[in-house]
Amino acid sequence: MTGSYRLRILGGIAAAIAIVVFPSITRDAFAIAVVTQMGIMVIFALSFNIIFGQSGMLSFGHAAFYGLGAFFSAHSMNLMASLSSPTPLPLVPFIGGFTALIFGIIFGLIATRTVGAIFGLVTLGIGELVRTMLDLVPRFSGGESGVVTNRIIGTPLLGASFGTPVEIYFLVAVWMGVCLFAIYFLTLTPLGRMANAVRDNPERAAFTGYSVSFIRFLQYCLSAFFAGIAGALSAINSEFVSVESVGLFNSGSVLFATVIGGSSLFLGPVVGAVVFVFFVSFLSIFTSAWMLYLGVFFLIVIFYLPGGLMGGGLTLLAACQAANRQELASIVFRATAVVSVTLGGVGLIETLYQFSKTGRAAFTLSHTLPFDLGQILVWVASAILLVGGLISIIVLHLRQRMVAPGVKA
Amino acid sequence: MEYSLVLLLNGISFGLLLFMLSSGLTLVFSLMGVLNFAHAGFYMLGAYIGYEASLRINFWAGLVLAPLTVGGIGMAVEYFGLRKVHRYGHAAELLFTFGLAFLIDEATHLIWGRSAVNYAIPAALSGPLFSIGEAQFPIYRGFIILISVAMLVAIWMLLRMSRIGLIIRGALTHPNTISTLGHDLPWVHMLVFGIGAALAGLAGAVGGAAFVTEPGMAHALGPIVFVVVVIGGLGSLGGAFVAALLIGCIQTFAVVADFNLGGILPFLHWNGIESITVSRLAPVLPYFLMILLLVLRPQGLMGKRAL
């Protein structure tokens, strides 16, 4: 246990060093912007996991708190600028957090009366309620053009006026660290422990004398608070908020990130947020079908990786450590099959999609080759990869059945 | 007065369409405990299949093909998807249908593009059915009422008068007994999921021509259908029926009401809120009603158990 403890501390220190030195390694503005976005998403996903992973409440309207936090901080920043208030900018996320907390209390009183699927529906309804209400007050929500704000306000802190992206990067990094520790600490408190009990068995949890619904309510409010902080940081980062930030797509994004990373482990949402933002930022440059891949990836995770990428990765690591040479070869073989199915599938979707749009193949191998040859080559290569991978997966599956008849995988 | 009568009929036709959607959702939920987030996606697929059929064959073929195809897709989703994720619990099932809804949205974008398609009402069904005073009631609205009522009677007869309906009703209350008696419960699940999807597909083929067929339609209607189900009391078909008609009429009446909030509540003055007209309030009303109901009666209109 001490070994794993030491490993965790070392990992944490390594991650902190990596975060600190990252802006000095790269001067690429896009990379810094993406990593800043990852930091905000990490807070958002961790806040979502307070209710989902920790308390077993699946919400489909969590973006309401993110968006409301963003709107109220943007308006506060504009107000502070007009009053020339000396309050330093790094404190603004508190405004987002506390306004979201107030809304969390109001909505929590209603939503936490329900559990399970109905809770999902009610939170979905609350999210839509907030979105449609914001549409009604264009003077507050800015209508379609959104609310623009300016982050150079208040007294500079530690010599930083927070004008440059690197300064915002560090602001987000510090807030992320604070939130990460706060939410981790929450899981160690009696409230956090009881929330786990309520998630696993509400009936038994009630017999310990705690009010199950009150625990759900408290977790809901705390989760709203941290989501508001994430929203405020996004308002500071992009100096812009629109009604889209409260929409169903944003609620779905945080859900996707958390599930992809793995909700059952504390650091799962962190991994998920990083992967998700990476997915969205880079994939959207290369292909217009990126949302389709995201959806397929999400479904694959649900089917085959119930512990998410983090859980799956840890299982794989343990299997590799315990495996003998033959088993290791089988793991490598399986991984190759999965990679080849992915490559083949992506190749086919891209070429078909590109073909349906323009009548041209997406990747022509070489411009000197005759056009048709390149297209056919890509198609054939993708088809071989896809079919070959699928066949090897099916063969593996059948062999497993023959080795252990009647034993369910 | 004549005008409000026509409005009422319009509201009823929209409400019946909502009920076609929410009945499938309710049936699947009561039987399998699964809330199908992709239900509105099935509705959208029905509309697009109806559109394709109206281009290639004719409108009427779409009315047959859309429910059949979407029902088939639904059965495949149950067989290859839901059944597999069932072992990971209810949260995984919810997540699966949510991901599926997302996937249907994206596939629609890729196949049919991002703008609306021209899914037209056939000539035989366009024009007014009758007019009261100056207000006209379109034939197509009457057609929606006709189709929905016919469908509901068919479903009611299937559930109440056929052997398969008897098994389904048995599976609702006593699933273990039903499988002990030798009935294939997973097959019943697949069938009911298929029927629910087929109803959504039919609603799409009918509704897509009345409203607009575009990739955002699932997202626009989905939350309202869920609100209907919550208001009615999850798992209660009767409750869903009342709630669907209620929401249908409220939405229809609110859209044409031309007085503003300041007129109703004179003390309201904040950020121009007093100048909001009731017609602009229409999208908010279903959600507002849901919140109100949850505060007053958490089990829904006709739900038997507390949520």
Side-chain angles (χ1 to χ4, degrees):
Chain A
M1 202 61 211
T2 43
S4 118
Y5 189 64
R6 193 180 298 160
L7 202 70
R8 270 186 225 177
I9 291 189
L10 282 179
I13 292 173
I17 292 175
I19 290 170
V20 169
V21 299
F22 178 73
S24 6
I25 297 172
T26 178
R27 289 262 160 263
D28 185 21
F30 181 65
I32 290 185
V34 168
V35 178
T36 308
Q37 197 56 46
M38 283 176 182
I40 296 173
M41 197 66 189
V42 164
I43 301 178
F44 192 23
L46 279 172
S47 83
F48 179 75
N49 212 37
I50 295 178
I51 50 171
F52 179 47
Q54 306 291 339
S55 322
M57 304 147 81
L58 181 48
S59 160
F60 291 97
H62 204 54
F65 303 117
Y66 179 90
L68 285 171
F71 269 112
F72 277 92
S73 357
H75 281 293
S76 313
M77 280 154 74
N78 287 346
L79 190 71
M80 281 152 74
S82 68
L83 297 173
S84 16
S85 137
T87 319
L89 180 82
L91 298 180
V92 166
F94 276 119
I95 300 173
F98 282 111
T99 40
L101 178 65
I102 293 169
F103 283 104
I105 292 170
I106 300 171
F107 295 143
L109 283 172
I110 300 157
T112 53
R113 294 170 71 148
T114 61
V115 292
I118 320 277
F119 177 80
L121 283 191
V122 171
T123 48
L124 181 86
I126 287 174
E128 288 297 289
L129 179 75
V130 170
R131 186 183 60 78
T132 47
M133 291 272 251
L134 283 174
D135 276 332
L136 284 181
V137 279
R139 277 193 225 173
F140 179 78
S141 66
E144 291 200 343
S145 50
V147 174
V148 179
T149 179
N150 186 350
R151 65 182 174 219
I152 306 179
I153 53 161
T155 37
L157 202 74
L158 303 171
S161 60
F162 300 103
T164 66
V166 175
E167 283 166 339
I168 295 301
Y169 169 89
F170 279 109
L171 177 69
V172 170
V174 169
W175 267 102
M176 187 189 82
V178 171
C179 291
L180 190 85
F181 275 107
I183 295 173
Y184 183 67
F185 180 70
L186 177 69
T187 62
L188 303 179
T189 60
L191 173 64
R193 295 295 186 202
M194 278 314 294
N196 292 357
V198 167
R199 171 197 64 194
D200 296 335
N201 194 332
E203 224 160 47
R204 276 192 179 182
F207 272 108
T208 60
Y210 283 92
S211 158
V212 169
S213 58
F214 191 62
I215 286 169
R216 286 202 180 105
F217 171 71
L218 281 181
Q219 291 284 84
Y220 190 80
C221 296
L222 286 170
S223 146
F225 174 74
F226 287 107
I229 289 180
L233 285 170
S234 90
I236 292 172
N237 180 36
S238 51
E239 301 184 300
F240 170 77
V241 191
S242 75
V243 179
E244 271 179 28
S245 63
V246 298
L248 191 55
F249 183 74
N250 204 14
S251 296
S253 296
V254 72
L255 182 89
F256 275 30
T258 308
V259 171
I260 286 173
S263 62
S264 49
L265 294 154
F266 179 77
L267 286 180
V270 177
V271 173
V274 169
V275 171
F276 181 83
V277 174
F278 187 82
F279 229 118
V280 171
S281 314
F282 287 98
L283 218 57
S284 57
I285 299 173
F286 295 114
T287 164
S288 42
W290 65 274
M291 286 193 1
L292 188 75
Y293 296 130
L294 185 64
V296 172
F297 185 52
F298 179 71
L299 288 186
I300 288 174
V301 168
I302 290 177
F303 273 104
Y304 300 107
L305 291 173
L309 286 182
M310 180 104 180
L314 289 180
T315 314
L316 189 67
L317 207 67
C320 284
Q321 275 172 351
N324 57 30
R325 238 172 110 187
Q326 202 185 350
E327 284 166 336
L328 210 62
S330 139
I331 290 174
V332 171
F333 185 69
R334 263 177 232 205
T336 321
V338 169
V339 168
S340 95
V341 168
T342 316
L343 281 180
V346 167
L348 275 186
I349 291 179
E350 283 299 308
T351 40
L352 284 176
Y353 181 53
Q354 205 70 18
F355 188 70
S356 76
K357 275 238 144 154
T358 58
R360 285 169 44 95
F363 323 107
T364 38
L365 290 181
S366 155
H367 290 288
T368 54
L369 276 176
F371 169 72
D372 283 333
L373 182 61
Q375 180 175 317
I376 290 167
L377 272 178
V378 173
W379 270 350
V380 169
S382 308
I384 289 175
L385 279 172
L386 185 69
V387 173
L390 280 179
I391 287 176
S392 42
I393 286 178
I394 291 169
V395 166
L396 270 176
H397 194 72
L398 289 179
R399 252 182 58 178
Q400 215 168 23
R401 277 202 176 173
M402 269 155 60
V403 170
V407 176
K408 275 192 180 169
Chain B
M1 189 56 224
E2 301 89 11
Y3 192 56
S4 20
L5 197 67
V6 168
L7 268 184
L8 183 68
L9 281 172
N10 273 333
I12 288 175
S13 75
F14 182 50
L16 282 171
L17 199 72
L18 281 180
F19 181 62
M20 265 166 93
L21 283 165
S22 43
S23 59
L25 203 61
T26 305
L27 213 57
V28 167
F29 180 81
S30 348
L31 190 67
M32 304 162 69
V34 175
L35 198 68
N36 182 15
F37 268 97
H39 205 67
F42 288 150
Y43 166 78
M44 177 162 75
L45 281 181
Y48 274 100
I49 291 167
Y51 160 72
E52 287 292 332
S54 75
L55 282 189
R56 283 157 220 272
I57 317 165
N58 61 40
F59 175 81
W60 307 101
L63 288 190
V64 180
L65 282 178
L68 286 182
T69 324
V70 179
I73 294 173
M75 285 166 104
V77 163
E78 203 283 330
Y79 187 80
F80 293 107
L82 269 181
R83 207 171 277 193
K84 301 268 187 296
V85 292
H86 181 70
R87 58 188 150 141
Y88 301 130
H90 276 319
E93 288 172 337
L94 264 184
L95 288 173
F96 167 70
T97 60
F98 188 75
L100 188 69
F102 184 83
L103 214 58
I104 292 177
D105 271 11
E106 276 322 299
T108 315
H109 279 152
L110 293 186
I111 300 171
W112 284 288
R114 284 180 185 268
S115 43
V117 295
N118 179 27
Y119 183 13
I121 297 172
L125 292 177
S126 45
L129 184 64
F130 57 84
S131 43
I132 313 172
E134 284 186 9
Q136 290 182 334
F137 185 68
I139 299 181
Y140 197 75
R141 289 283 177 153
F143 178 69
I144 292 179
I145 296 182
L146 187 77
I147 288 275
S148 328
V149 171
M151 212 59 239
L152 298 177
V153 170
I155 287 295
W156 186 83
M157 282 169 64
L158 177 81
L159 281 179
R160 285 283 153 187
M161 298 184 183
S162 72
R163 194 174 156 69
I164 184 79
L166 191 70
I167 296 168
I168 292 174
R169 277 187 297 139
L172 280 173
T173 49
H174 300 85
N176 291 333
T177 315
I178 287 291
S179 48
T180 316
L181 286 173
H183 298 291
D184 190 351
L185 200 59
W187 192 82
V188 173
H189 283 185
M190 189 170 79
L191 183 76
V192 170
F193 200 85
I195 292 175
L199 277 177
L202 182 67
V206 176
F211 309 110
V212 62
T213 301
E214 48 135 2
M217 65 194 285
H219 188 170
L221 201 68
I224 296 184
V225 175
F226 295 136
V227 166
V228 165
V229 172
V230 173
I231 290 180
L234 201 56
S236 152
L237 272 177
F241 183 70
V242 175
L245 286 183
L246 190 72
I247 297 269
C249 290
I250 287 179
Q251 288 273 66
T252 314
F253 275 98
V255 166
V256 295
D258 57 346
F259 41 90
N260 56 36
L261 274 186
I264 313 170
L265 305 165
F267 51 87
L268 257 184
H269 281 285
W270 179 74
N271 253 333
I273 209 172
E274 67 278 357
S275 63
I276 293 169
T277 56
V278 172
S279 58
R280 283 185 51 214
L281 217 55
V284 184
L285 287 176
Y287 309 111
F288 195 71
L289 206 64
M290 179 192 83
I291 300 283
L292 199 70
L293 190 97
L294 281 171
V295 173
L296 299 177
R297 196 178 151 80
Q299 70 269 45
L301 281 181
M302 297 195 184
K304 288 180 195 79
R305 55 189 165 179
L307 312 171

